[in-house]
């Protein structure tokens, strides 16, 4: 996803400097070319050899190294960068940049670059809360700098509070967003994901095998492309993507209420959740006991049809549904498209080993209002998400769609 993109990573002097090594691994794994710039203080915590080994490039830290300056230097670093990240960013570094100071290789590179600059502060919680620091950060934010704020946690000083550097995965996610085309800016996507659970008694429930991976991939991709994302999710083992507005629910009725509460804010609705079609007609207040040789009949009733309800309320919104089927996939999907007033439905055979609920790949067919059909071959779910968002963007803007047919690899 970052193949060939050029990132300059600045590392300053704080205990969180060791976590910058993990961030380098994230960038390199995604295909980026990483140049690391270290301050003198950073080298007291981590050796340059660590970053050179992980990045595959020499580490830069001397402002007046004539041999190095001839080849790369702070101006060449600044010009080459497509994104400049500082992690960790100390209060000292933020203060110097806010004051326009440039007294080492990192600060001169920051002031010379025209690339976006992303800062991940890390410091003692009192330093973080200090009005002088907050003024410095606000000044930089107003000037167009980007921040991933620290989180609450146990700090190196023994205190617990806000000041711990954000997780490398979170910084990476924001980096990808800053390097992605913001072609969904201005859109608010309401996305549902995962299964629902319908309780039988206090310890048992009816559910399905949905992992939430497809819905979460769509949420992640949409956030990277500039959309505001409202993610309503049933129970999953997944971490919500950084930057999305997350609402966790359990039952179909809870999902319905959460979706309707957010409906007015949305411009696009993507219903990727596998909502249970049935629930017990009554819930036992205590655990149902098993008798020797006994048989039990379970009476079920239908859950609310959220997608059909949205189809009657969509107004100018774009409504996208999913059809997880095991047989007659296109026939069932086409009926669902028409019956629920959808603009587009994504159909797939979840009985396939490589395209079911719990795997990272999918093979889907898109059916549009008006009869258009697109069949996509096997792709990873994030690739499916981006391709689906391409179609959503085109429909929202009235742009022509690609020629229908098979696509994928």
């Amino acid at each position: 996803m970052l193949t060939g993109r050029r990132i300059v990573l600045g590392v300053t002097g704080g205990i969180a400097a060791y976590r910058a090594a993990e961030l380098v691994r994230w960038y390199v794994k995604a295909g980026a070319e990483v140049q690391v710039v270290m301050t003198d203080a950073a080298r007291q915590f981590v050796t340059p050899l660590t970053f050179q080994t992980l990045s595959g490039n020499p580490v830069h830290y001397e402002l007046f190294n004539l041999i190095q300056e001839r080849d790369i230097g702070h101006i060449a670093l600044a010009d080459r960068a497509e994104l400049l990240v500082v992690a960790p960013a100390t209060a000292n570094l933020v203060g110097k940049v806010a004051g326009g100071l440039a007294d080492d290789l990192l600060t001169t590179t920051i002031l010379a670059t025209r690339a976006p600059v992303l800062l991940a502060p890390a410091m003692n919680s009192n330093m973080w809360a200090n009005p002088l620091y907050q003024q410095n950060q606000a000044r930089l934010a107003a000037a167009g700098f980007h921040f991933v704020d620290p989180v609450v946690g146990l700090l190196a000083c023994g205190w617990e509070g806000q000041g711990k550097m954000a997780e490398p995965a979170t910084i990476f996610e924001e980096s990808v967003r800053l390097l992605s085309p913001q072609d969904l800016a201005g859109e608010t996507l309401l996305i549902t994901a995962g299964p629902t659970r319908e309780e039988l008694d206090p310890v048992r429930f009816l559910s399905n095998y949905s992992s939430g991976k497809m819905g979460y991939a769509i949420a992640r991709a949409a956030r990277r492309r500039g959309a505001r994302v409202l993610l309503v999710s049933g129970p999953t083992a997944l971490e919500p993507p950084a930057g999305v507005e997350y609402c966790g629910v359990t039952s179909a009725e809870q999902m319905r209420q959460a979706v309707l509460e957010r409906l007015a804010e949305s411009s696009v609705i993507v219903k990727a959740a596998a909502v249970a079609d049935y629930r017990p007609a009554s819930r036992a207040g205590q655990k149902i006991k098993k008798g020797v040789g006994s048989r039990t009949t379970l009476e079920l009733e239908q859950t609310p049809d959220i997608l059909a309800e949205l189809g009657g309320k969509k107004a100018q919104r774009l409504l996208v549904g999913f059809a997880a089927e095991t047989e007659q996939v296109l026939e069932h999907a086409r009926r669902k498209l028409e019956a629920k007033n959808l603009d587009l439905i994504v159909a797939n055979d979840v009985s396939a080993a490589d395209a079911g609920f719990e795997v990272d790949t999918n093979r889907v067919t898109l059916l549009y209002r008006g009869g258009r059909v697109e069949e996509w071959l096997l792709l990873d779910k994030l690739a499916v998400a981006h391709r689906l968002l391409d179609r959503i963007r085109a429909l929202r803007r009235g742009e022509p769609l690609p020629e229908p047919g098979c696509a994928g690899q």
Side-chain angles (χ1 to χ4, degrees):
M1 66 190 74
L2 294 179
T3 300
R5 306 306 295 270
R6 301 184 300 274
I7 297 174
V8 172
L9 173 63
V11 183
T12 64
I15 192 64
Y18 79 94
R19 303 181 75 209
E22 183 181 350
L23 184 56
V24 173
R25 292 180 68 103
W26 277 86
Y27 290 142
V28 170
K29 185 177 180 181
E33 175 195 313
V34 183
Q35 301 283 348
V36 177
V37 178
M38 299 182 72
T39 65
D40 288 341
R43 289 187 290 143
Q44 302 300 313
F45 291 91
V46 184
T47 66
L49 182 59
T50 299
F51 290 107
Q52 179 172 321
T53 301
L54 294 173
S55 69
N57 290 310
V59 174
H60 312 284
Y61 49 85
E62 295 185 27
L63 180 56
F64 298 114
N65 184 325
L66 295 183
I67 296 175
Q68 186 182 60
E69 186 81 12
R70 180 178 178 181
D71 295 330
I72 196 158
H74 66 280
I75 299 301
L77 275 171
D79 286 346
R80 184 167 178 74
E82 294 180 80
L83 174 68
L84 198 158
V85 181
V86 183
T90 59
N92 182 61
L93 180 283
V94 172
K96 287 199 296 185
V97 177
L101 300 180
D103 60 356
D104 62 11
L105 180 58
L106 180 55
T107 51
T108 53
T109 302
I110 291 172
L111 264 64
T113 193
R114 291 170 291 182
V117 178
L118 174 64
L119 303 174
M123 64 197 70
N124 171 269
S125 52
N126 281 352
M127 295 175 69
W128 164 255
N130 189 293
L132 293 175
Y133 172 79
Q134 290 297 321
Q135 289 169 18
N136 287 334
Q137 178 163 326
R139 183 175 183 180
L140 289 180
F145 286 69
H146 304 271
F147 286 85
V148 177
D149 284 347
V151 297
V152 174
L154 183 62
L155 307 177
C157 59
W159 292 32
E160 185 162 359
Q162 188 169 7
K164 181 179 179 181
M165 190 178 83
E167 289 296 322
T170 302
I171 301 169
F172 172 82
E173 191 65 34
E174 185 65 9
S175 302
V176 175
R177 187 187 72 83
L178 290 172
L179 288 171
S180 298
Q182 301 297 285
D183 56 355
L184 292 178
E187 300 284 5
T188 298
L189 271 69
L190 174 56
I191 300 168
T192 66
T196 62
R197 293 176 179 176
E198 311 303 327
E199 290 190 350
L200 175 60
D201 62 23
V203 299
R204 302 182 181 93
F205 56 83
L206 302 178
S207 191
N208 56 62
Y209 289 112
S210 174
S211 63
K213 288 183 176 181
M214 191 67 250
Y216 277 57
I218 298 168
R220 174 172 287 107
R223 163 66 180 164
R224 288 177 177 178
R225 293 168 66 161
R228 178 189 176 201
V229 178
L230 312 175
L231 176 61
V232 178
S233 175
T236 76
L238 305 174
E239 283 290 324
V244 308
E245 299 173 43
Y246 175 80
C247 175
V249 298
T250 301
S251 68
E253 180 57 35
Q254 290 173 352
M255 182 169 284
R256 173 181 175 271
Q257 290 296 332
V259 167
L260 293 179
E261 287 172 5
R262 292 160 177 79
L263 180 61
E265 303 174 62
S266 64
S267 57
V268 178
I269 305 168
V270 181
K271 289 289 281 97
V275 181
D277 292 323
Y278 293 92
R279 63 189 175 197
S282 62
R283 178 190 181 276
Q286 303 296 330
K287 178 182 176 181
I288 300 172
K289 297 297 183 181
K290 176 177 66 176
V292 177
S294 65
R295 301 181 66 181
T296 300
T297 299
L298 182 61
E299 183 180 359
L300 303 177
E301 64 182 13
Q302 288 189 356
T303 58
D305 192 329
I306 305 172
L307 192 55
E309 188 171 358
L310 292 174
K313 297 180 177 181
K314 70 177 186 177
Q316 300 303 311
R317 301 176 187 90
L318 189 73
L319 182 56
V320 180
F322 273 68
E325 304 291 347
T326 59
E327 46 91 26
Q328 297 182 305
V329 175
L330 296 187
E331 291 82 352
H332 289 309
R334 189 170 287 110
R335 284 199 291 270
K336 188 173 182 179
L337 173 74
E338 295 170 357
K340 302 191 180 185
N341 194 28
L342 309 181
D343 297 290
L344 171 64
I345 193 164
V346 183
N348 69 314
D349 183 350
V350 294
S351 66
D354 56 1
F357 283 130
E358 297 179 335
V359 296
D360 294 325
T361 53
N362 212 346
R363 183 186 293 106
V364 304
T365 301
L366 272 61
L367 293 83
Y368 296 76
R369 176 187 297 276
R372 175 189 172 93
V373 176
E374 288 184 41
E375 181 183 353
W376 297 351
L377 304 183
L378 190 68
L379 296 164
D380 70 70
K381 286 182 176 176
L382 188 59
V384 172
H386 275 294
R387 189 170 287 181
L388 175 61
L389 292 173
D390 289 343
R391 304 307 188 264
I392 288 172
R393 181 197 61 205
L395 290 172
R396 286 287 294 165
R397 297 180 180 180
E399 297 172 350
L401 294 163
E403 289 298 319
C406 289
Q409 55 186 0

